[in-house]
């Protein structure tokens, strides 16, 4: 099977095709990324924990998939985690892990179903980039935070090739709307020699 779904994951597609891909991938997703040493969830969770004073407050795992990111957040000390994802099949896998307080299926480009400032921290781990969510999601999630709220997210090598992605991050920091607390380049999927940047942004 080769890399299976990983071969398809970074191709451009619309939201419906993305949901179908991840629904179909749900049963083999963890085995495939695990075989390749998926490191970004742990790196993101540990980075966010460094800048979090109270880990008992609820946080949002946006694009939670099968729950690998939620597991990483739990292991880093976060107690209450809600998860949102496009794929109902992925959410079923996440629910079985019993890591999350709440899980919700969402529609691409739909307004977020909670008030600004509901979550003091949001994680979008492996969510933005080629074949996944567009960089406009960065604006959506940052706008959902209250003042002092933090967003941890990642951009893998494929996403970093599109300069518009980091440019959007710079738009937030250059005007003082956010402060970049953390940026680190490191392993993403070592098995296929793919790396990623992990970022933590704080909203001003």
């Amino acid at each position: 099977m080769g890399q299976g779904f990983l071969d398809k994951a970074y191709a451009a597609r619309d939201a419906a095709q993305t949901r179908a891909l991840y629904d179909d991938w749900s049963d083999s997703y963890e085995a495939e990324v695990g075989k390749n040493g998926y490191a970004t969830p742990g790196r993101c969770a540990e980075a966010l924990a460094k800048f979090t004073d109270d880990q008992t407050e609820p946080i949002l795992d946006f694009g939670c998939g099968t729950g690998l990111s939620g597991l990483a957040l739990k292991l880093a000390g976060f107690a209450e985690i809600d998860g949102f994802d496009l794929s109902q099949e992925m959410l079923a896998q996440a629910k079985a892990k019993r890591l999350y307080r709440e899980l919700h299926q969402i529609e691409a480009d739909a307004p977020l179903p909670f008030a600004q400032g509901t979550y003091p921290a949001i994680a979008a781990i492996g969510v933005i980039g080629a074949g996944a969510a567009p960089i406009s999601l960065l604006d959506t999630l940052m706008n959902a935070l209250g003042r002092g709220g933090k967003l941890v997210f990642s951009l893998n090598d494929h996403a970093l090739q599109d300069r518009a992605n980091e440019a959007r991050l710079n738009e937030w920091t250059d005007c003082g709307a956010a402060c970049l607390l953390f940026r680190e380049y490191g392993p993403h999927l070592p098995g296929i020699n793919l790396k990623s940047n992990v970022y933590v942004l704080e909203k001003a």
Side-chain angles (χ1 to χ4, degrees):
M1 189 172 69
Q3 295 302 331
F5 285 94
L6 274 176
D7 289 335
K8 306 173 187 175
Y10 304 115
R13 68 181 74 83
D14 64 25
Q17 291 170 323
T18 296
R19 173 175 293 171
L21 173 77
Y22 283 92
D23 279 345
D24 291 345
W25 197 2
S26 60
D27 287 338
S28 62
Y29 174 82
E30 292 192 14
E32 193 167 348
V33 298
K35 178 181 71 175
N36 288 291
Y38 191 28
T40 295
R43 293 176 56 221
C44 284
E46 289 164 15
L48 183 61
K50 288 179 184 178
F51 300 101
T52 301
D53 295 325
D54 184 359
Q55 289 185 293
T56 66
E57 292 187 300
I59 68 169
L60 175 61
D61 181 9
F62 189 92
C64 62
T66 62
L68 288 178
S69 47
L71 177 59
L73 290 163
K74 279 282 187 186
L75 291 173
F78 293 96
E80 297 283 350
I81 308 166
D82 293 343
F84 288 14
D85 202 86
L86 285 174
S87 167
Q88 191 62 48
E89 297 298 326
M90 288 269 187
L91 285 168
Q93 301 267 347
K95 185 177 181 179
K97 290 183 172 61
R98 301 189 177 191
L99 295 165
Y100 293 91
R101 184 181 68 167
E102 295 180 5
L103 287 166
H104 299 280
Q105 186 177 17
I106 53 167
E107 299 294 329
D109 301 323
L112 296 177
F114 56 86
Q116 183 184 39
T118 298
Y119 297 100
I122 298 174
I125 300 171
V127 172
I128 297 172
I135 192 59
S136 59
L137 179 64
L138 177 65
D139 297 337
T140 301
L141 297 179
M142 288 297 292
N143 288 327
L145 291 169
R147 187 173 182 180
K150 297 176 180 70
L151 172 68
V152 63
F153 69 102
S154 60
L155 296 175
N156 67 32
D157 284 333
H158 294 291
L160 290 169
Q161 287 175 359
D162 184 348
R163 295 193 176 187
N165 289 332
E166 279 209 320
R168 186 68 65 93
L169 163 68
N170 292 337
E171 287 178 16
W172 279 90
T173 57
D174 288 351
C175 71
C179 175
L180 182 62
L181 301 178
F182 182 89
R183 175 168 53 195
E184 180 187 73
Y185 188 62
H188 177 59
L189 288 165
I192 55 173
N193 197 30
L194 200 62
K195 295 186 177 183
S196 65
N197 265 345
V198 166
Y199 311 84
V200 180
L201 276 175
E202 182 176 33
K203 189 171 181 179

